């Protein structure tokens, strides 16, 4: 059993929970994920690790309540326990495992969408600790759905917030803001990391391909059981077939067949609704 140390509703329906999980916290790295099972009969939900505290032995997860399993998780309070918390799984993010000296040569821009903003945070935080400055573009529906702004202000060199309704920051999509920055010419980015809904990652990758800007995306949203068994996260990368939960979750965004992956995503629905859509990160 794993104890919930803290629980916070970041914005309506998006929660952050810090879970006491010493073994996971000891080896977790940005980009990896855990599988959470609320109780004996609960479904397995893969969630990206959003932060960790090795001293305290805790791991943070951020999730949106869109299906029965995440709703059940959100009903738990600090002090209560969850049945399973397995991880860290998947490969750590390429940018944080790269040597700092090599990374210093790069100008990196992160694109974060919706609840996918959460897993971007530990990557940017770790890069800042290594002395690497990165820009971040966050896309969200409105000011009221924006998460972790204060945290990002502390670690990003430049933070651009885009809202669909124009209620805060730039009025428009992340791709429009990114295009503006790329056309500006001053930024000279040579690496882009995009984490968010599949549709966002598809259009970011399409844009950056035009600009020949190397792009890494995280295919967490298409995972269902996170074990390599269900086949939901099968994806064509170049001319190879990969499984996001085993081979990823990060891949070269220019090589992914997004439409095929999204079609597969919509096929995997649980009896409780669109389970795969629960995991927009
Ligand atoms: Fe089921 Fe990867 S999530 S095989």
């Amino acid at each position: 059993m794993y104890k919930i140390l803290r629980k916070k509703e970041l914005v309506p329906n998006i929660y952050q929970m810090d879970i006491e999980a010493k073994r996971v916290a000891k080896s977790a790295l940005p980009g990896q994920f855990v599988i959470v099972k609320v109780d004996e009969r609960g479904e397995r939900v893969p969630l990206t690790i959003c932060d960790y505290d090795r001293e305290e032995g805790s791991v943070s997860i951020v999730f949106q309540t869109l299906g029965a399993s995440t709703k059940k998780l959100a009903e738990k309070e600090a002090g209560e326990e969850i049945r399973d918390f397995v991880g860290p799984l998947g490969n750590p993010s390429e940018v944080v495992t790269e040597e700092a000296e090599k990374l210093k040569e790069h100008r990196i821009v992160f694109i974060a969408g919706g609840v996918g903003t959460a897993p971007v945070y530990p990557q940017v935080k770790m890069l800042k600790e290594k002395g690497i400055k990165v820009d971040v573009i966050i896309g969200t529906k409105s000011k009221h759905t924006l998460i972790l702004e204060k945290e990002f202000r502390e670690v990003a060199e430049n933070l651009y917030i885009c809202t669909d309704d124009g209620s805060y920051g730039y009025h428009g999509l992340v791709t429009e803001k990114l295009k503006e920055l790329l056309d500006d010419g001053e930024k000279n980015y040579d690496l882009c990391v995009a984490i968010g809904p599949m549709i966002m990652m598809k259009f970011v990758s399409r844009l950056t391909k035009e600009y020949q800007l190397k792009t890494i995306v995280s295919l967490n949203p298409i995972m269902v059981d996170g074990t390599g068994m269900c086949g939901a996260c099968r994806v064509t990368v170049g001319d190879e077939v990969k499984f996001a939960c085993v081979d990823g979750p990060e891949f070269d965004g220019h090589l992914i067949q997004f439409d095929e992956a999204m079609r597969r995503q919509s096929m995997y629905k649980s009896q409780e609704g669109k389970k795969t859509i629960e995991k927009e990160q």
Side-chain angles (χ1 to χ4, degrees):
M1 299 295 275
Y2 297 84
K3 191 172 171 190
I4 300 165
L5 298 174
R6 289 170 289 277
K7 172 191 170 186
K8 190 168 150 195
E9 189 170 16
L10 298 176
V11 295
N13 298 326
I14 298 185
Y15 294 85
Q16 177 170 352
M17 274 184 183
D18 301 337
I19 312 289
E20 186 176 63
K22 291 191 172 60
R23 202 188 52 78
V24 183
K26 204 171 152 193
S27 51
L29 283 171
Q32 293 184 295
F33 67 96
V34 287
I35 290 180
V36 177
K37 209 169 134 187
V38 184
D39 53 32
E40 193 65 56
R41 289 166 51 214
E43 285 187 304
R44 301 160 57 90
V45 184
L47 293 168
T48 312
I49 291 169
C50 296
D51 208 352
Y52 45 82
D53 183 330
R54 300 205 204 284
E55 256 175 51
E56 185 183 51
S58 65
V59 176
S60 300
I61 47 170
V62 172
F63 59 94
Q64 191 162 19
T65 53
L66 286 170
S69 306
T70 43
K71 278 194 183 124
K72 222 192 240 179
L73 183 58
E75 281 163 13
K76 292 271 182 191
E77 297 298 337
E80 292 187 71
E81 292 178 327
I82 53 175
R83 180 76 168 77
D84 280 333
F85 195 81
V86 181
L89 300 165
N91 299 305
S93 170
E94 190 183 318
V95 286
V96 296
T97 50
E98 183 66 273
E99 287 166 35
E101 282 316 304
K102 277 195 187 154
L103 283 169
K104 275 185 186 150
E105 296 162 13
H106 292 293
R107 302 216 48 168
I108 308 172
V109 59
F110 279 82
I111 318 286
V115 75
T117 304
V120 170
Y121 174 67
Q123 301 200 26
V124 178
K125 183 175 137 188
M126 189 181 250
L127 290 170
K128 185 176 164 91
E129 284 163 7
K130 289 183 179 182
I132 294 138
K133 296 173 184 169
V134 305
D135 287 354
V136 179
I137 304 175
I138 297 179
T140 183
K141 285 194 186 94
S142 81
K143 189 178 191 327
H144 309 292
T145 54
L146 174 64
I147 57 169
L148 305 174
E149 181 188 3
K150 188 176 139 287
E151 287 80 353
F152 272 100
R153 294 239 176 254
E154 283 164 15
V155 294
E157 180 69 2
N158 293 295
L159 178 66
Y160 306 96
I161 292 164
C162 307
T163 50
D164 295 350
D165 64 0
S167 55
Y168 192 49
Y170 178 86
H171 186 183
L173 301 171
V174 290
T175 41
E176 292 165 332
K177 185 68 203 171
L178 176 62
K179 186 171 184 331
E180 229 177 57
L181 294 172
L182 294 173
D183 287 339
D184 181 16
E186 255 183 49
K187 293 293 186 183
N188 283 329
Y189 296 125
D190 53 17
L191 181 62
C192 171
V193 182
I195 305 182
M198 288 293 280
I199 194 80
M200 182 205 88
M201 295 191 284
K202 172 185 166 175
F203 283 103
V204 166
S205 300
R206 186 182 279 183
L207 175 70
T208 55
K209 199 168 184 178
E210 277 173 38
Y211 287 79
Q212 295 178 334
L213 170 60
K214 183 182 170 183
T215 299
I216 298 168
V217 297
S218 176
L219 294 193
N220 238 49
I222 58 171
M223 289 186 205
V224 171
D225 69 352
T227 62
M229 306 283 281
C230 74
C233 70
R234 203 172 86 194
V235 61
T236 309
V237 184
D239 50 14
E240 288 180 275
V241 171
K242 302 274 186 190
F243 290 87
C245 64
V246 178
D247 304 309
E250 286 188 349
F251 296 100
D252 181 338
H254 296 166
L255 298 179
I256 289 176
Q257 292 193 14
F258 280 101
D259 290 339
E260 177 206 64
M262 286 191 286
R263 268 199 307 276
R264 182 175 296 278
Q265 184 186 16
S266 67
M267 273 161 46
Y268 281 81
K269 296 172 186 173
S270 75
Q271 67 280 23
E272 32 170 74
K274 292 186 177 179
K275 180 173 188 286
T276 52
I277 291 175
E278 282 180 358
K279 301 175 290 299
E280 275 192 54
Q281 55 183 352

